[in-house]
Amino acid sequence: MIAGSKLEKVIRSGQFAVTGELGPPKSADLTMLKQHGEALRNHVEAFNITDNQTAIVRTSSIACGAVLVQMGLEPIIQITVRDRNRIGIQGDVLGAVALGIKNILCLSGDHQKFGNEQQAKGVYDIDSMQLLDGLRKLRDEGRFIGGDKVGAPVSYYLGAVANPFADPFEYRVDRLEKKIAAGASFIQTQCIFDLARFKKWMELVRERGLHKKVAIMGGVTPIKSLGAARYMKNNVSGIIIPDEIITRLQGAKKKKEEGLKIAIETIQQLKEIEGVAGVHVMAIAWEEVVPEIVERAGLYPRPKL
Amino acid sequence: MIIAERKPLQQIFEMLKSYRRIGILGCGTCVTVCMAGGQKEAEELAAALTIHRRREKEPVEVEAFTIERQCEYEYIEQVKDRLAGYEVILSLGCGVGVQTLVERMPELRVLPGVNTQSMGYPLEQGVWVERCLGCGDCVLHVTLGICPITRCAKSILNGPCGGSSGGKCEIDPEVDCAWHLIHERMEKMGRLSELQAIQPPKDWSVSHHGGPRTVVREEVKLDRGQ
């Protein structure tokens, strides 16, 4: 055991893990965030807390994470390299640990061009790989990135993201391998709609035995409407939405129910793929539907530890 | 070369509003090649300014001339007296030119007529691309001649990131993903395995982040007889 988080325990027990995601608000009023956390309490092991997602200013992920800890819920703090340099990030990581946060997810973050402070200076002092590697060394070797000694040992469960739908496709497995070497214990993938491509990626992952070295959690997002699907297909880079998903939603009378069904079927298929250790359900702005998805996908009740 | 773009005319007119005797100084090197601040552009700007001021009924005396390089004292020296004869100099040199003029002739009022953009080259007629950030610690040997510090919007050293799609960057479908290009080149050269090494955090202290940089080479210094 590294940090002894609930997420780590479920993964280590070999049971299929489920994580959710909560997006901090553009205000300091965390009422909704707390409500969603409460509503999902028994349906997920832990909650990703996004870090100024899509480069839009929001309450900080660590602050929201600390609030979840107070509620007896488990956060996975997302840390991007867009807004802070290595000094700020490492300081915040120590702060997060002090506040009882046990899971950290390293990523680069959406470019500031997509957000509400488009004239901001992007920091990018380090990249997501270096962040992962640096936080691993901070924990395992007790050294900051610059080499100075950390005052007292810290512990956290480290994760990273993978996007099997980005290009070049062949590189995506290399990149996963590199993230494992850098220190990832768990991986959450980009939202999966193109299952064929995901399966192909997993085949390559298994060929190298990488699924035994890291817990791969498939990303699942329920689509609320045909418009949302079209928008993601055409405007969100790094996501592939196959035409059959669009056709299916087009043909459906109840779009929301169809969107849910697609998500549930995706989870059921992911459960059958060798090497998939869990799912990460991202239902941003549709959090209330997560318990239903988890239950209908046959993932409820969650393991008791 | 250094790539610059002329400032918007309105901004230039506004900056020069209170002056009646103006020298527009072109630069014969980089900004001439990128067609932003050579003799031709200096003359065009002088004509535009004259017309504008005539319309505003605020006549002005403008002269346009060019020196080979505004970033070297030797060339400034040659036109020192002439420069001193204007109320203000609108420099069409890059930011370096403006500052070299001011440092050489502190009494001079010098305004920038161009926005200095980047270091790069002309890809084709009318298109100039950025290729170097002057980070002070070149990595082109690792990335096979393609600079991710400059060409990746996140300057990552371990790429391509998850936003690379069809060879393009997530920030703009017109922008090449530098790491896609590097990956392609590595593959062609049979060196893909090199990408598996985790490149350590960059030393930004040798870039501008370490403060303004000065290169000193004692062995080539001249005694200027001061």
Side-chain angles (χ1 to χ4, degrees), chain A residues 153-283:
Chain A
V154 287
S155 189
Y156 35 75
Y157 195 46
L158 268 182
V161 294
N163 187 1
F165 311 104
D167 296 317
F169 179 68
E170 326 76 67
Y171 172 69
R172 295 299 143 189
V173 186
D174 292 344
R175 188 163 178 84
L176 174 71
E177 189 166 16
K178 202 167 166 178
K179 287 200 171 175
I180 297 169
S185 295
F186 68 99
I187 292 285
Q188 292 174 335
T189 76
Q190 178 63 283
C191 323
I192 302 162
F193 296 105
D194 186 347
L195 261 164
R197 178 153 163 159
F198 182 75
K199 284 177 181 167
K200 211 169 138 197
W201 181 72
M202 280 303 299
E203 256 170 50
L204 299 173
V205 167
R206 285 193 303 270
E207 261 172 37
R208 295 197 203 171
L210 301 179
H211 61 304
K212 290 180 180 155
K213 296 181 181 166
V214 75
I216 296 169
M217 307 184 69
V220 175
T221 288
I223 303 179
K224 228 174 179 175
S225 66
L226 183 59
R230 282 195 175 130
Y231 179 81
M232 277 200 276
K233 185 179 174 72
N234 301 323
N235 300 298
V236 182
S237 83
I239 290 187
I240 296 177
I241 303 205
D243 290 334
E244 55 256 39
I245 298 252
I246 304 282
T247 319
R248 225 180 120 173
L249 282 166
Q250 258 168 348
K253 278 193 182 146
K254 294 178 179 167
K255 311 285 184 202
K256 281 189 178 177
E257 171 57 23
E258 199 61 27
L260 281 186
K261 267 192 194 163
I262 294 170
I264 292 158
E265 287 169 21
T266 305
I267 295 176
Q268 285 164 340
Q269 293 215 43
L270 289 173
K271 275 163 73 183
E272 301 305 315
I273 300 172
E274 190 195 341
V276 175
V279 283
H280 174 54
V281 186
M282 291 167 270

Side-chain angles (χ1 to χ4, degrees), chain A residues 81 86 108-114 121 123-130 133 136 145 163 165-168 170-175 177-178 181-182 190 208 237-238, chain B residues 153-167 169-173 177 179-180 183-184 187 192 194-204 208-209:
Chain A
V81 296
R86 61 192 87 174
S108 35
D110 295 308
H111 193 270
Q112 60 274 14
K113 136 166 207 166
F114 298 107
K121 186 174 182 182
V123 177
Y124 306 113
D125 170 32
I126 51 176
D127 63 30
S128 60
M129 198 72 72
Q130 294 159 348
D133 197 45
R136 175 181 59 83
I145 292 173
N163 187 1
F165 311 104
D167 296 317
E170 326 76 67
Y171 172 69
R172 295 299 143 189
V173 186
D174 292 344
R175 188 163 178 84
E177 189 166 16
K178 202 167 166 178
Q190 178 63 283
R208 295 197 203 171
S237 83
Chain B
K154 296 175 183 175
S155 291
I156 67 176
L157 280 166
N158 295 280
C161 79
S164 178
S165 180
C169 174
E170 65 179 12
I171 65 154
D172 186 340
C177 166
W179 275 103
H180 190 102
H183 186 273
E184 241 173 27
E187 194 171 23
L192 262 189
E194 290 174 26
L195 281 185
Q196 288 312 96
I198 298 169
Q199 294 300 326
K202 191 169 171 60
D203 177 4
W204 294 106
H208 172 71
H209 294 278

Side-chain angles (χ1 to χ4, degrees), chain A residues 135-146:
Chain A
L135 294 188
R136 175 181 59 83
K137 287 177 180 155
L138 196 157
R139 181 192 64 198
D140 298 349
E141 296 168 20
R143 300 263 177 197
F144 292 112
I145 292 173

Side-chain angles (χ1 to χ4, degrees), chain B residues 25 34 39 73 103 114 116 120 138 154 158:
Chain B
L25 184 64
C34 69
Q39 179 62 22
Y73 281 180
E103 280 173 48
V114 302
T116 308
C138 192
K154 296 175 183 175
N158 295 280

